[in-house]
Amino acid sequence: MGAGGPRRGEGPPDGGWGWVVLGACFVVTGFAYGFPKAVSVFFRALMRDFGAGYSDTAWVSSIMLAMLYGTGPVSSILVTRFGCRPVMLAGGLLASAGMILASFATRLLELYLTAGVLTGLGLALNFQPSLIMLGLYFERRRPLANGLAAAGSPVFLSALSPLGQQLLERFGWRGGFLLLGGLLLHCCACGAVMRPPPGPSLRPRRDSAGDRSGDAPSEAEADGAGPQLSEATPRTRPRRRLLDLAVCTDRAFAVYAVTKFLMALGLFVPAILLVNYAKDAGVPDTDAAFLLSIVGFVDIVARPACGALAGLARLRPHVPYLFSLALLANGLTDLSSARARSYGALVAFCIAFGLSYGMVGALQFEVLMAAVGASRFPSALGLVLLLEAVAVLIGPPSAGRLVDALKNYEIIFYLAGSEVALAGVFMAVATNCCLRCAKAAPAGPGTEDRASDTEDAEAEGDSEPLPVAEEPGNLEALEVLSARGEPTEPEPEARLRLAAKSV
């Protein structure tokens, strides 16, 4: 499936097959972010059939989101070990199987295990590999590519919410879950197109018996996982880490992780509660479901536009501040709309929320890529998603429990808005402090690891591959490696010639 396939060369192609990968990432992102919110359309039917409260039913979406985020490190390890395509194909099957099995559930616990755990895990195994592959294909146009891929979330949200309402009215929640499970099989098709970028592969060596060994690209590397090219010789190539925990020592990563935790506490709460909030305010069911579509329509425009804006030469170095501004705007929108009860006020809230929410969605992974670099992005993404999962398990369920206890949505919007606004303020202040400390501190041995993706690409383009020392006639290469103090394992003939030359 991946062994011997094309590999990444000196830099991302910024086009070509990358546009197909971008389209697949668009679909996967739409399912990953839109599906847990669209499932909330079925909550009232589930509450009626199972005799449960809103907080108990909301755990279905919360567990799905928690699995999407909490299995980030697992997804990182699997991608590093097996590659992007196999992981995404398996994830598509799991996501579909979860919803199909959920249609036969007779207890809420069964819904938690099927629609929550299985479908959430399947979406996670599609979402993270698609972002990793997108980073391999785009560098100069990466902000725009991230914005276009992130637009899949509002597009699918605006489509899945009315679709779920129609399925609920015609087939009930069981038939709706069954059909949505079939729809999730499209994730397998998206995984099938995730071939690695074209580029030169490392030259395979031959052992004493003349067989190819050791340096043939592994299946995971050929599928876009793990290091693509190394400055070391094939025999001395460093062993790949399945999960790089050293990224936690990076100050920029620590700031981003805390910001994402605060953000996740309140960012998703208004979108999850919006439909039921409107229904309790007397809005008809169809109009209430259409509110999510309004958020999606505005979000569709906001994400690509914000991605293109962040790609401008003057703004790209300041993307963290643009991200903090988007968080602050989203928090203030929640705070100012806490008392909205009329349909017109709810529509105005949806427009402002969709705009700020789209800016956050377009910039969140671009900020992380720029902070940690391409080589550490898979591990950093997995760890951030794990931290975000904890916040997701705290935020929406707590909000649902407060709704059941207080019968009032106003306090929920105040809490959610305060958390998101606090995340924006923290991101701006901490980033400014970290940048000042980084400018004042002398360059250390780990400076290269914290370089941006642009610097990584320039370094890869400027550096020349080391000469291959295993070839018997390449004595000069062997002397260069020996002078550098790097370990070499030359072939026996080359070793004898080097010894004879030194004598």
Side-chain angles (χ1 to χ4, degrees):
M1 191 175 296
R7 308 175 67 195
R8 177 177 173 178
E10 294 182 350
D14 270 309
W17 189 258
W19 298 116
V20 179
V21 173
L22 175 59
C25 191
F26 175 90
V27 175
V28 170
T29 304
F31 277 125
Y33 278 115
F35 205 82
K37 302 179 186 68
V39 171
S40 63
V41 174
F42 298 90
F43 280 1
R44 282 208 166 185
L46 295 175
M47 292 166 61
R48 181 180 62 253
D49 286 2
F50 293 107
Y54 185 84
S55 61
D56 295 330
T57 310
W59 272 99
V60 176
S61 289
S62 298
I63 293 174
M64 195 181 296
L65 285 171
M67 293 300 296
L68 174 65
Y69 298 131
T71 55
V74 176
S75 182
S76 297
I77 292 173
L78 291 176
V79 167
T80 305
R81 178 63 181 87
F82 299 105
C84 290
R85 267 185 298 189
V87 173
M88 291 186 68
L89 290 171
L93 293 175
L94 280 177
S96 176
M99 292 303 296
I100 292 174
L101 291 175
S103 65
F104 299 98
T106 57
R107 294 181 300 168
L108 272 179
L109 178 61
E110 295 173 1
L111 279 179
Y112 296 160
L113 295 176
T114 53
V117 175
L118 276 183
T119 301
L121 178 60
L123 293 175
L125 295 182
N126 274 269
F127 176 60
Q128 188 169 337
S130 67
L131 289 179
I132 294 172
M133 189 62 75
L134 189 68
L136 294 178
Y137 270 94
F138 291 94
E139 163 57 37
R140 182 173 55 86
R141 297 172 177 170
R142 194 184 65 206
L144 177 61
N146 276 321
L148 290 173
S153 174
V155 169
F156 275 65
L157 180 61
S158 61
L160 288 175
S161 183
L163 175 63
Q165 187 67 36
Q166 292 296 322
L167 293 177
L168 177 63
E169 293 175 357
R170 295 191 179 188
F171 306 104
W173 69 266
R174 294 186 184 275
F177 277 16
L178 185 64
L179 293 174
L180 290 177
L183 193 64
L184 284 174
L185 286 174
H186 287 83
C187 293
C188 295
C190 295
V193 305
M194 292 293 176
R195 76 185 190 193
S201 60
L202 293 177
R203 184 184 306 177
R205 66 175 176 85
R206 295 180 181 272
D207 57 16
S208 57
D211 296 330
R212 294 165 63 96
S213 62
D215 300 315
S218 67
E219 185 170 326
E221 288 177 340
D223 258 324
Q228 303 297 324
L229 291 177
S230 175
E231 293 184 357
T233 59
R235 283 182 182 267
T236 61
R237 187 170 54 192
R239 187 174 182 179
R240 185 172 67 249
R241 293 181 179 179
L242 294 179
L243 187 64
D244 186 9
L245 296 178
V247 71
C248 297
T249 61
D250 192 306
R251 284 179 294 188
F253 172 79
V255 170
Y256 182 85
V258 174
T259 301
K260 286 282 284 184
F261 180 81
L262 294 174
M263 179 197 80
L265 287 174
L267 183 66
F268 306 112
V269 171
I272 292 177
L273 298 180
L274 179 61
V275 174
N276 290 281
Y277 174 42
K279 291 178 180 179
D280 288 348
V283 177
D285 290 356
T286 304
D287 293 339
F290 186 69
L291 289 175
L292 282 180
S293 299
I294 296 176
V295 174
F297 292 146
V298 178
D299 206 354
I300 290 170
V301 179
R303 296 199 182 208
C306 188
L309 186 66
L312 298 177
R314 292 185 178 181
L315 289 180
R316 192 167 184 182
H318 307 291
V319 167
Y321 296 105
L322 190 61
F323 180 56
S324 64
L325 179 63
L327 290 172
L328 184 61
N330 186 271
L332 293 178
T333 299
D334 294 342
L335 293 173
S336 60
S337 304
R339 296 186 178 184
R341 300 292 293 178
S342 65
Y343 190 71
L346 289 173
V347 169
F349 163 75
C350 290
I351 294 174
F353 181 83
L355 182 62
S356 58
Y357 188 83
M359 293 176 64
V360 172
L363 297 175
Q364 56 180 342
F365 297 115
E366 172 62 27
V367 173
L368 181 59
M369 288 181 185
V372 302
S375 61
R376 299 194 295 178
F377 177 70
S379 297
L381 179 60
L383 294 172
V384 166
L385 292 179
L386 176 61
L387 190 63
E388 199 169 353
V390 178
V392 169
L393 283 175
I394 296 173
S398 300
R401 195 166 296 277
L402 286 175
V403 168
D404 289 339
L406 303 177
K407 307 298 181 182
N408 187 0
Y409 285 88
E410 183 177 339
I411 185 67
I412 308 301
F413 278 82
Y414 282 136
L415 287 175
S418 300
E419 290 159 353
V420 178
L422 178 61
V425 173
F426 174 81
M427 181 72 183
V429 174
T431 299
N432 187 39
C433 295
C434 285
L435 287 177
R436 288 182 179 178
C437 294
K439 290 179 180 179
T447 305
E448 290 93 353
D449 293 336
R450 290 187 295 270
S452 65
D453 287 350
T454 304
E455 294 169 345
D456 291 341
E458 292 174 355
E460 289 177 6
D462 295 337
S463 62
E464 297 180 359
L466 294 177
V468 181
E470 286 112 34
E471 296 183 2
N474 201 352
L475 297 178
E476 293 79 9
L478 202 58
E479 292 174 342
V480 169
L481 293 176
S482 300
R484 293 183 182 179
E486 297 181 9
T488 59
E489 293 183 20
E491 295 293 330
E493 294 180 12
R495 188 183 293 108
L496 290 175
R497 291 189 184 186
L498 181 62
K501 186 174 180 180
S502 63
V503 173

